[in-house]
Amino acid sequence: MADRTGLDALDVALLAALEDHPRAGDLELSRVTGVARGTVSARLRRLEDGGVVTGYGPRVDVAAAGFGVQAFVTLEIAQGAIDDVRHDLAAIPAVLEAHATTGRGDVLCRVAAGSHEALQQVLVDLNRSPAVVRSTSVVALSELVPWRTRPLLAAGAAPGAGRSGVPRPPARS
């Protein structure tokens, strides 16, 4: 996990522009944010070097790709088995993400499958790990708030710092 780099309003505006226009180059981002192209390049480089921007790949809707059954699975694992379970989880393609947690469970996984039968097989695969002592799963019915970062970043940005006076054009539909 990267340390917080102290984002300012221009950083947040640039990240929002990247989110709204993921295929835009520096020149287009410069136009959208109202700052010089060199500033955009330098800021992006700083955000990348600081670990804030970790990639530019497409966002994939797994449901649209045929994996519409999603679940959250809490795993209780054997004492000291975090590395073993990490390895086992990484070997299961249906595991979209997994996090070590506090509380009753030790690991929270998000998984996806193409059907309820396929989800059952994923759950069986998870429990095959010798590191897993117990699992509990809940099926996700619908997504209420999608993954997002913009509100958090905007709330934490240094007010007015680094922002040009040029108003940002409205986002394209």
Side-chain angles (χ1 to χ4, degrees):
M1 183 182 328
D3 291 333
R4 186 157 190 261
T5 28
L7 302 179
D8 63 24
L10 178 55
D11 293 325
V12 173
L14 183 55
L15 292 169
L18 274 171
E19 188 176 313
D20 292 342
H21 311 280
R23 299 175 81 173
D26 289 359
L27 185 59
E28 176 67 6
L29 293 172
S30 149
R31 187 191 65 73
V32 169
T33 57
V35 297
R37 182 178 181 178
T39 301
V40 167
S41 296
R43 289 293 182 114
L44 283 177
R45 189 171 29 263
R46 184 176 62 81
L47 292 168
E48 291 165 356
D49 292 347
V52 175
V53 173
T54 59
Y56 294 92
R59 286 181 287 191
V60 176
D61 181 327
V62 293
F67 303 94
V69 180
Q70 293 186 41
F72 294 92
V73 183
T74 301
L75 303 176
E76 294 176 31
I77 63 172
Q79 189 74 23
I82 196 76
D83 289 332
D84 294 335
V85 82
R86 176 185 293 122
H87 178 267
D88 294 344
L89 294 175
I92 301 172
V95 175
L96 301 176
E97 60 183 321
H99 302 269
T101 60
T102 62
R104 295 188 91 176
D106 301 303
V107 177
L108 179 64
C109 303
R110 180 175 166 215
V111 301
S115 66
H116 287 95
E117 293 79 16
L119 174 61
Q120 182 176 2
Q121 184 58 53
V122 171
L123 298 174
V124 168
D125 293 344
L126 288 170
N127 284 299
R128 281 196 178 128
S129 169
V132 174
V133 175
R134 177 180 164 86
S135 69
T136 306
S137 58
V138 293
V139 173
L141 298 177
S142 63
E143 183 178 75
L144 300 179
V145 178
W147 171 259
R148 63 189 187 151
T149 58
R150 194 179 299 189
L152 174 67
L153 297 177
R163 184 72 174 126
S164 77
V166 179
R168 183 171 166 224
R172 286 188 242 158
S173 299

